[in-house]
Amino acid sequence: MSIPVAKQYILDFEQLGFGMFVHWGLYSQVGKGEWHHYHKQRDKYLEECAKKGIVPEEKIPFKDRQLTDEYKSLINTFTAEDFDAEKLVLTAKNTGCKYITLTTRHHEGFSLFDTCGLNDFDAPHSPAKRDLIREFVDACRKHDIIPFFYMATHDWYHPATFNDFDAFLDYLNKSVEILCTNYGKIGGFWFDGNWSQPDADWKEDELYKVIRKHQPEAMIINNTGMAARGYIGNPEIDSVTFENGRPTPLNREGMPKYIAGEMCHTINDHWGIGEFDYNYKSPKELIENLCNCRKVGANYLLNIGPEGQGKVNDYQARLMELIGNWMKLNGEAIYNGRPYASYSVGKNFILKSYDGKSLYLFVFDLGIEGSANVTVGGKYFGSYSFGNVTDKVSSIEWMDNGEALKFIQGEDMLCVNFTGYPYGKSLGVRVAKAVIEK
Ligand code: GLC
């Protein structure tokens, strides 16, 4: 069995390596996550059930998901006065992200773009009075970042959601057509919500046909949800999703089509901002996740959630900046490294460059050298072996400071003497570049 030949746009997507996910909508003003409405409704539902003495369903009935007037009125305070598309794009760029996937419309049904009359629940009809997606794509193009559009397929606003599924699909297709035709070339679509009605006939062919007609090279991604990560589904799908979890290697042998992989991840515990969510991942954890995605050839899509009027809070901005600093030293390995069939014990692994001239050795939990008793953390450094390294290397050096590393190579074993960090530095993951002998 063979591996299917990949379409160029899918290979291009894989090489982007790292993207920034942005969840922003009316819910951001509340600061309790993007599912805040659902949870409020759930509390009401549980109360009702208790009153009536009935056992509640695990998920609340569809009819109870409909937006309340109180929720809808969040549009009246949405000014977007702190939304600076260019700043957002530069945050991504300085982090080393090559693309941004922005929620053009989340489950609440509010559109950041001009729905051109489909309904009035959009940014131009809010006090913001702007098409925020227009600002977003313009800023992306200015700074060479590829815009991707997240679009919810599970929608709590549109009346048809609750009584006429075909009418809802029609609304969805028309919305996507607007996004395909009004904003120039985009990187792709990221759909989210088919998991809400797994047995419904989503007529995905019709939706994807709209995209292929106007944006033939757009990536089509449809979130399979937490439970079915890595599931492929419709043949038009170009990448699988690994939502908030470890990506697994894709075995493409015998597949009808070559597809990419992408793992989206929260920076703390919520996608939309949680004002009281302090469970931020550490820079080390985020860097490790980025590396582990690349280990299996998947992209890492790291999420931030701006505040109500569009400002990225200082803590999230700073975390992204730190990752950006790491990327300035090691980004080459993230963009250019492809999975390599070597093995090792522990977390360390090797990638090989697209041009076949280098190997990138990713080293985890490295200690600081000569630090006596004044530092804590990893203590490990010294010689370390990789198996099944079929390329002969001529030199190896740390990417962050160019220090040459001693190594020996025999048969298919490569043994490297990894020096520890110099005092004053600890990068989370350290990368060494090996030159392959011609
Ligand atoms: C989920 C959630 C959603 C979030 C998405 C990102 O499916 O419904 O809120 O946008 O995952 O992966």
Side-chain angles (χ1 to χ4, degrees):
M1 273 202 279
S2 63
I3 294 176
V5 178
K7 292 194 176 121
Q8 190 57 43
Y9 73 86
I10 297 179
L11 293 176
D12 292 345
F13 174 73
E14 280 191 319
Q15 209 170 348
L16 299 178
F18 189 17
M20 187 170 94
F21 212 170
V22 181
H23 276 70
W24 183 44
L26 297 181
Y27 50 81
S28 311
Q29 296 178 80
V30 182
K32 291 182 180 168
E34 78 290 355
W35 275 72
H36 158 70
H37 161 72
Y38 178 96
H39 286 272
K40 223 172 151 187
Q41 294 300 98
R42 187 158 188 278
D43 290 347
K44 271 195 224 161
Y45 167 69
L46 292 178
E47 232 171 79
E48 283 288 297
C49 290
K51 252 192 245 157
K52 291 184 190 150
I54 49 175
V55 182
E57 302 283 326
E58 192 201 328
K59 292 182 180 150
I60 63 174
F62 251 71
K63 62 170 181 34
D64 292 333
R65 302 181 190 201
Q66 202 147 8
L67 288 198
T68 57
D69 287 343
E70 187 195 347
Y71 191 99
K72 283 185 204 160
S73 70
L74 283 170
I75 190 176
N76 300 329
T77 46
F78 186 75
T79 64
E81 62 195 17
D82 302 323
F83 179 69
D84 180 341
E86 210 168 335
K87 208 164 160 197
L88 183 78
V89 166
L90 287 174
T91 298
K93 197 168 174 108
N94 292 331
T95 307
C97 298
K98 300 271 191 189
Y99 63 104
I100 302 177
T101 307
L102 173 62
T103 50
T104 63
R105 176 193 295 157
H106 205 265
H107 304 323
E108 64 179 4
F110 175 75
S111 307
L112 296 181
F113 59 99
D114 183 352
T115 61
C116 301
L118 288 181
N119 61 36
D120 290 351
F121 203 48
D122 61 2
H125 288 88
S126 73
K129 291 197 172 58
R130 290 141 62 195
D131 181 338
L132 302 165
I133 294 304
R134 165 93 46 228
E135 294 176 17
F136 166 65
V137 292
D138 287 351
C140 282
R141 299 224 166 87
K142 184 163 168 198
H143 295 288
D144 208 19
I145 292 287
I146 303 176
F148 281 67
F149 293 159
Y150 168 107
M151 167 56 78
T153 60
H154 181 46
D155 184 305
W156 305 321
Y157 172 78
H158 202 276
T161 304
F162 306 95
N163 53 39
D164 184 347
F165 194 58
D166 280 342
F168 171 71
L169 292 182
D170 186 53
Y171 166 67
L172 178 66
N173 290 1
K174 285 187 173 133
S175 304
V176 167
E177 185 144 40
I178 289 169
L179 289 170
C180 281
T181 50
N182 280 1
Y183 300 98
K185 190 172 183 217
I186 55 156
F189 277 91
W190 210 99
F191 294 106
D192 184 24
N194 289 30
W195 38 258
S196 65
Q197 285 163 282
D199 301 327
D201 181 6
W202 284 91
K203 301 191 179 152
E204 284 161 297
D205 287 347
E206 285 174 27
L207 175 64
Y208 300 156
K209 223 189 279 166
V210 173
I211 301 173
R212 290 288 174 241
K213 179 173 166 205
H214 301 291
Q215 300 269 351
E217 299 201 318
M219 289 290 294
I220 299 182
I221 299 172
N222 198 329
N223 189 18
T224 44
M226 297 290 280
R229 53 182 67 141
Y231 168 75
I232 299 158
N234 190 287
E236 284 299 336
I237 293 291
D238 294 316
S239 175
V240 296
T241 60
F242 300 99
E243 192 181 0
N244 254 340
R246 289 209 164 216
T248 43
L250 289 169
N251 180 3
R252 298 186 176 87
E253 257 176 63
M255 271 190 186
K257 170 186 178 180
Y258 184 101
I259 45 145
E262 179 186 58
M263 180 178 97
C264 54
H265 212 195
T266 49
I267 201 163
N268 48 15
D269 282 344
H270 294 84
W271 301 96
I273 189 160
E275 201 189 334
F276 292 103
D277 180 351
Y278 301 151
N279 201 14
Y280 281 98
K281 294 174 180 72
S282 68
K284 176 183 188 235
E285 201 179 339
L286 295 170
I287 290 163
E288 286 193 350
N289 274 296
L290 168 62
C291 296
N292 283 329
C293 283
R294 299 310 279 159
K295 177 181 175 182
V296 299
N299 288 5
Y300 188 43
L301 185 63
L302 176 58
N303 182 74
I304 58 167
E307 291 173 358
Q309 307 306 347
K311 180 184 188 286
V312 176
N313 77 28
D314 294 344
Y315 197 86
Q316 299 194 10
R318 181 64 180 144
L319 270 180
M320 298 306 264
E321 194 177 300
L322 292 179
I323 297 166
N325 292 346
W326 186 93
M327 284 293 286
K328 288 189 182 86
L329 301 170
N330 303 302
E332 178 194 318
I334 293 294
Y335 307 127
N336 285 345
R338 298 286 307 135
Y340 187 62
S342 69
Y343 59 85
S344 72
V345 286
K347 296 195 245 172
N348 299 354
F349 65 88
I350 299 180
L351 297 181
K352 185 172 182 174
S353 65
Y354 275 90
D355 64 8
K357 291 181 179 164
S358 338
L359 298 178
Y360 302 105
L361 284 47
F362 288 71
V363 183
F364 291 62
D365 298 321
L366 194 69
I368 298 174
E369 281 209 62
S371 55
N373 291 321
V374 293
T375 57
V376 290
K379 286 279 174 269
Y380 150 81
F381 45 87
S383 58
Y384 193 97
S385 299
F386 296 89
N388 200 27
V389 180
T390 45
D391 292 291
K392 274 254 160 272
V393 308
S394 56
S395 66
I396 305 180
E397 60 180 45
W398 286 128
M399 290 186 72
D400 59 276
N401 66 358
E403 181 193 340
L405 300 177
K406 292 192 190 123
F407 64 94
I408 46 171
Q409 200 170 12
E411 295 282 320
D412 62 357
M413 290 293 281
L414 172 65
C415 182
V416 189
N417 182 32
F418 289 121
T419 55
Y421 290 109
Y423 181 75
K425 200 187 241 186
S426 195
L427 296 173
V429 180
R430 203 171 192 194
V431 188
K433 181 174 176 177
V435 177
I436 296 175
E437 257 177 32
K438 277 179 213 123

